[in-house]
Amino acid sequence: MTALTSTALVTGGSRGIGKAIAETLAQDGYQVYLTYVSKPQEAEAVAAQIQARGGQAKAFPLNVGNAEAVTRFFAEEIKEKVDLAVLVNNAGITKDGFLVRMKDEDFDAVLQINLRGAFICMREAAKIMTRQRHGRIINISSVVGQMGNAGQMNYTAAKAGLLGMTKSAAKELASRSITVNAVAPGFIETDMTASLSEEVRKTYEEAIPLKRMGSAQDVANAVAFLASDRAAYITGQILAVNGGIYC
Amino acid sequence: MSDVAAKVTKIIVDQLGVNAEDVKPEASFVEDLGADSLDLTELVMAMEEEFDIEIADGDAQKMLKVQDAIDYIKNR
């Protein structure tokens, strides 16, 4: 029997931080499986670009908010098909609004995808990784999950929740040589932050000791480190990639 | 050995990496076969998959020895 291909699964890999993570892990030699929901062309373009550079990548439509679809995806595409070396829980949405105006549905929708989606993916990955006796799980949290943010009750709850799950999973899976860590990006140049007004952007930059927003690549570099052998003794940690904001 | 016993033995051997001859009916999963709590959970999941059943947590906690698991599955 031939060895299974060492694979990194990146949820929400069609753009922004997820795209940079997919590209960086592909450069590091992993076959990359990236998932997408709304942007099939962009996801396929990321996969095609990785292949053009000599890497291996495939894009899959998968809504992590749909537990049944996630379970099916792991059964059909991952289990006994690849060596699941790395899972990066990156998929996320925002539905911002002030507390007094936030609708139940907007709270639930963000928790459903950003927190529960990561939980389902971790659960299905852990079933496979415990048998493999190795694996790396990296959850993409956020600086706002650590320090709070007006207008993001739902998003910050999910991102803070990811930190708790990261620490619990790290303890549960340590005996199987599986590490679980979180990366908490600060203010990063992506579609999600491009819509900010110049004024808001200035305010953010003033608050960052390095006086600039980060790039998706800055985050991807941290993920690649945690995925690598160099991080074998690091688990249950939060690596902040935020230009020096202390929280 | 019954079919069930043979299948259960195989699951235990695969899951715990022990020798088939050590998987005696009276063997305790934890004390004799070296299983930790996560191993026990994985064993239950493997048995659920093999026999297409659901094993409640309360029932799983009563399976201390190999024979307990065989009896449980035979009585389902």
Side-chain angles (χ1 to χ4, degrees):
Chain A
M1 199 177 108
T2 52
L4 300 174
T5 310
S6 186
T7 301
L9 171 62
V10 182
T11 66
S14 65
R15 54 194 167 140
I17 290 172
K19 177 184 172 190
I21 292 169
E23 289 169 347
T24 305
L25 292 177
Q27 275 169 20
D28 285 356
Y30 297 100
Q31 165 173 246
V32 173
Y33 280 7
L34 55 104
T35 71
Y36 63 90
V37 172
S38 56
K39 308 271 180 195
Q41 297 91 340
E42 291 184 27
E44 293 296 346
V46 174
Q49 200 174 24
I50 289 171
Q51 288 159 6
R53 290 180 188 151
Q56 289 175 279
K58 269 189 210 171
F60 299 88
L62 179 68
N63 177 359
V64 298
N66 180 342
E68 204 180 305
V70 173
T71 308
R72 199 176 329 117
F73 171 77
F74 273 84
E76 288 174 3
E77 304 291 348
I78 307 284
K79 194 182 178 191
E80 289 162 15
K81 301 258 176 21
V82 299
D83 173 279
L84 185 59
V86 184
L87 165 68
V88 183
N89 280 310
N90 168 74
I93 60 166
T94 55
K95 285 189 185 289
D96 298 351
F98 288 117
L99 172 58
V100 291
R101 297 273 297 167
M102 186 173 284
K103 294 190 174 69
D104 297 2
E105 307 86 271
D106 290 347
F107 183 84
D108 291 345
V110 170
L111 270 287
Q112 169 95 3
I113 291 179
N114 298 20
L115 187 64
R116 189 170 173 275
F119 159 71
I120 306 282
C121 288
M122 275 208 272
R123 183 181 67 198
E124 297 309 309
K127 288 179 191 171
I128 293 166
M129 288 176 174
T130 49
R131 293 202 138 244
Q132 292 176 172
R133 294 291 194 270
H134 71 93
R136 295 269 196 272
I137 298 173
I138 298 150
N139 293 319
I140 306 303
S141 179
S142 169
V143 65
V144 298
Q146 297 173 293
M147 66 180 203
N149 198 21
Q152 289 200 305
M153 214 56 60
N154 45 10
Y155 188 77
T156 55
K159 292 300 187 185
L162 276 174
L163 301 179
M165 291 206 305
T166 298
K167 293 174 193 178
S168 296
K171 290 188 172 173
E172 233 178 80
L173 301 174
S175 66
R176 299 300 189 268
S177 305
I178 299 162
T179 68
V180 188
N181 292 290
V183 169
F187 298 102
I188 305 295
E189 305 270 9
T190 63
D191 291 352
M192 222 184 245
T193 51
S195 55
L196 298 172
S197 70
E198 196 53 40
E199 190 193 342
V200 172
R201 179 180 291 263
K202 270 228 166 72
T203 315
Y204 279 166
E205 285 173 354
E206 281 304 308
I208 302 168
L210 286 177
K211 296 292 175 216
R212 60 179 172 86
M213 293 179 83
S215 68
Q217 190 59 51
D218 290 325
V219 180
N221 291 343
V223 171
F225 166 65
L226 289 172
S228 76
D229 288 342
R230 290 182 170 156
Y233 198 59
I234 300 172
T235 194
Q237 302 303 307
I238 306 163
L239 180 47
V241 182
N242 64 24
I245 301 166
Y246 185 80
C247 45
Chain B
M1 199 187 283
S2 73
D3 193 33
V4 168
K7 282 180 178 168
V8 169
T9 301
K10 184 174 184 311
I11 289 169
I12 295 167
V13 167
D14 287 350
Q15 195 66 53
L16 301 181
V18 293
N19 294 318
E21 56 266 30
D22 294 330
V23 186
K24 299 184 178 107
E26 69 277 14
S28 151
F29 289 116
V30 174
E31 279 151 37
D32 300 318
L33 301 174
D36 65 16
S37 54
L38 191 51
D39 284 321
L40 294 176
T41 308
E42 287 186 83
L43 269 178
V44 167
M45 287 169 59
M47 289 191 271
E48 286 179 329
E49 199 173 327
E50 174 68 36
F51 298 103
D52 197 21
I53 53 173
E54 266 199 43
I55 302 174
D57 285 350
D59 292 338
Q61 279 160 13
K62 290 181 205 146
M63 289 185 207
L64 305 176
K65 296 180 176 179
V66 174
Q67 191 64 46
D68 299 339
I70 296 169
D71 290 344
Y72 178 84
I73 288 160
K74 278 186 173 167
N75 292 327
R76 284 293 295 256

